[in-house]
Amino acid sequence: MAPSDLPDDVPASAREEEGVVRPDDLDYTASERVAELSDGRYVVATDNDESPSVDENADDETVDDRGTLARQQMSRYLSERDSDYGFALTAAFDGEIKQHEGVSDDVATSFGDLVTWYVEQIDTEASPSEAIGILLLASETSVTYPTNTLAAVLRQHGLSLDDSISDLVDALQDHAFRIPAED
């Protein structure tokens, strides 16, 4: 409550006391500078106007309308970043809301950041790279790799094109099949 909003029956000496707060001072709803929008929601005038302006249709705004506005604001936010690729996520994991954003000029870096963050949020004992593979398999998402990636996997396990599929299976038996192969 601003000093000018004090009721007329408050003595002038109390009006000019600094640092003293009386119980009546804490009732901000009595001020002309405060307007109630709905239960527990208020608008406070911050300029020298007598009362704040209130949009009578503000309560008609739906969750979908607010979501649309949030998406528009996030689009503007990402477009103002000086990068070719970017994302901003809000996700729920076991009832907890988490947020993450990333921007990069490299599409692969952006994608890697996105999926790595995602799998780090889920409760798993698997490494992020293993969890990504498991999720892709479980989601039945088909992944196509360039043929030369298989050659790197064969070399990593000491195999050549002359070895059999049985040799490959034996070589991978105690190891995870990793694409691309580790250097």
Side-chain angles (χ1 to χ4, degrees):
M1 180 180 278
S4 62
D5 292 341
L6 292 174
D8 293 333
D9 60 344
V10 174
S13 60
R15 290 174 184 268
E16 297 177 15
E17 291 179 61
E18 289 190 31
V20 176
V21 178
R22 293 177 314 284
D24 291 343
D25 293 340
L26 298 176
D27 184 11
Y28 56 87
T29 60
S31 171
E32 293 177 358
R33 300 172 61 83
V34 176
E36 185 173 5
L37 292 175
S38 63
D39 292 337
R41 294 178 58 217
Y42 299 89
V43 173
V44 178
T46 58
D47 52 16
N48 290 326
D49 290 342
E50 291 180 13
S51 62
S53 60
V54 177
D55 181 1
E56 296 298 326
N57 296 324
D59 288 338
D60 294 339
E61 187 177 53
T62 67
V63 172
D64 289 339
D65 292 338
R66 290 191 303 264
T68 298
L69 177 61
R71 284 187 295 278
Q72 290 169 346
Q73 290 173 329
M74 190 53 63
S75 294
R76 187 170 35 255
Y77 172 77
L78 284 174
S79 68
E80 291 172 355
R81 301 294 167 267
D82 191 24
S83 295
D84 291 336
Y85 305 96
F87 60 88
L89 291 175
T90 299
F93 297 93
D94 293 327
E96 189 175 338
I97 303 299
K98 304 267 182 125
Q99 296 178 317
H100 183 66
E101 65 182 66
V103 293
S104 175
D105 289 331
D106 183 335
V107 67
T109 298
S110 289
F111 179 75
D113 182 38
L114 171 73
V115 297
T116 301
W117 173 81
Y118 186 88
V119 300
E120 288 172 346
Q121 304 311 306
I122 58 177
D123 186 21
T124 180
E125 293 180 16
S127 69
S129 62
E130 187 178 1
I132 291 167
I134 291 168
L135 287 172
L136 285 173
L137 283 172
S139 68
E140 298 180 12
T141 301
S142 178
V143 179
T144 303
Y145 292 96
T147 306
N148 63 354
T149 58
L150 181 57
V153 172
L154 294 173
R155 279 193 304 277
Q156 179 184 13
H157 294 285
L159 301 171
S160 71
L161 294 175
D162 296 330
D163 290 306
S164 70
I165 292 176
S166 178
D167 294 333
L168 175 61
V169 171
D170 288 343
L172 295 175
Q173 187 171 2
D174 295 328
H175 304 284
F177 181 64
R178 186 179 188 103
I179 296 178
E182 291 179 336
D183 295 329

